[in-house]
Amino acid sequence: MPMPEAEIAFRLFGETNWESSAPKFSKLLYGDYGFSLDTATELAEIVNKRLDVSLRARGLPGLAEPLAPSEFTLPLYDFIRRIQSAARIEDGETLDRAQDALLGDLAPGVNPQGTVRLVIEKFAADRSFDGFLPSGGDGPVVFEAGRHKGRIAVQGIDREPAMAYTLLARDTRPIGHRCWELSWAETILWLPSPSRPRLVEGKLLLMPEAAPVQPKPGRFLATTALLWDTDSRRLLDPRGADAEPGALDEEETARFLTNLRRLQRRNAGAVTVSSAEYIVTI
């Protein structure tokens, strides 16, 4: 049976009750605590035991490739590949669940209670009048690389935010791969952030003008976080409040997403998060 979190926290930190152990365990999971050798060794033992149970439950020999304590500091995709190899997971349904869970963390989603909406606009030589929509639904916009240009904007606001952070998470299953089978740089792309978008005719333009779609096929989940006051940047941006606009690396992206969720919980009015998706074909 899976070990309860309270028991894991107790084993890792030696506290006498869940209330005192839980915060430390949560901080460990979200990167606020570094791994000491003792903690990493204990966690490796817990995970290896769970992997062994999973293997035997599927009628397979027990764990032959136990995780070493040092492997808990691997980059994300390397760690996922290591877990997949150790657990000998090959069925597509399980791997798709892992992919969906990963994308759920990389693209925090739409604010379900507001009217703010991220929109993906498509421009082409044969485009008709702006504002007209095709009949038959409003599924993901499909771009053909080399033919279409695109622009990302936000609808439903009436003032400009202090700044915006915008990233793309690429679902590579349409080209026969899951994210961790490629490099981080091939699956996570940033609009140089923070940017200072302009409100033009009722739309907040995250990109100043339409740009050609890159020849990278796949399904893309676009997410923007609109920050409404400059003081909150120190709580959100892991590079600091004075960093120049740019792309965040893997460690900075992970910390940014953790900070974003915390900021939403503590002060929902400080940030507005919205997501949308589109598809690129070659």
Side-chain angles (χ1 to χ4, degrees), residues 24-275:
K24 292 184 179 180
F25 185 47
S26 177
K27 288 181 179 180
L28 178 72
L29 293 177
Y30 284 99
D32 294 324
Y33 278 175
F35 276 101
S36 68
L37 178 59
D38 289 344
T39 300
T41 300
E42 190 69 37
L43 188 59
E45 182 179 334
I46 293 169
V47 173
N48 285 330
K49 181 177 180 180
R50 182 62 194 152
L51 290 172
D52 187 74
V53 169
S54 173
L55 286 163
R56 295 181 188 278
R58 287 180 280 138
L60 298 172
L63 183 63
E65 306 174 57
L67 272 68
S70 61
E71 291 183 292
F72 285 90
T73 59
L74 287 171
L76 177 61
Y77 290 175
D78 290 343
F79 185 76
I80 294 175
R81 289 194 295 267
R82 182 67 179 89
I83 289 286
Q84 182 183 352
S85 173
R88 301 199 284 282
I89 299 171
E90 298 179 357
D91 68 284
E93 183 179 348
T94 298
L95 295 174
D96 279 339
R97 286 202 305 271
Q99 172 80 352
D100 289 337
L102 175 65
L103 291 172
D105 278 339
L106 294 174
V110 178
N111 178 2
Q113 298 178 342
T115 59
V116 176
R117 188 165 67 97
L118 190 67
V119 293
I120 309 296
E121 300 179 304
K122 182 166 71 173
F123 298 83
D126 59 355
R127 178 170 175 167
S128 185
F129 298 105
D130 190 15
F132 282 77
L133 300 175
S135 173
D138 58 348
V141 175
V142 178
F143 293 90
E144 183 180 333
R147 180 185 176 193
H148 297 127
K149 292 182 178 181
R151 186 173 66 185
I152 302 176
V154 178
Q155 291 181 336
I157 62 174
D158 56 7
R159 60 191 175 99
E160 294 180 352
M163 62 194 72
Y165 290 80
T166 306
L167 73 154
L168 302 176
R170 182 186 181 196
D171 184 355
T172 53
R173 282 176 289 188
I175 61 171
H177 295 282
R178 294 175 180 88
C179 283
W180 56 87
E181 295 170 354
L182 284 77
S183 71
W184 177 265
E186 291 177 289
T187 61
I188 302 297
L189 301 94
W190 279 89
L191 191 68
S193 295
S195 64
R196 285 167 172 78
R198 297 177 299 112
L199 191 62
V200 178
E201 297 180 351
K203 289 183 182 178
L204 185 70
L205 303 184
L206 298 174
M207 301 166 59
E209 58 185 24
V213 175
Q214 295 186 16
K216 292 184 177 182
R219 170 177 169 251
F220 289 81
L221 304 176
T223 299
T224 189
L226 306 179
L227 202 59
W228 296 103
D229 65 86
T230 55
D231 290 342
S232 295
R233 185 182 177 188
R234 61 183 177 80
L235 303 174
L236 181 62
D237 196 325
R239 302 165 302 172
D242 299 319
E244 293 294 322
L248 282 67
D249 63 21
E250 178 177 347
E251 184 175 350
E252 291 165 345
T253 299
R255 173 53 54 186
F256 172 85
L257 292 170
T258 296
N259 292 346
L260 178 60
R261 289 179 175 87
R262 287 178 174 164
L263 185 58
Q264 286 180 289
R265 290 197 302 268
R266 295 172 181 174
N267 185 4
V271 63
T272 299
V273 182
S274 186
S275 296

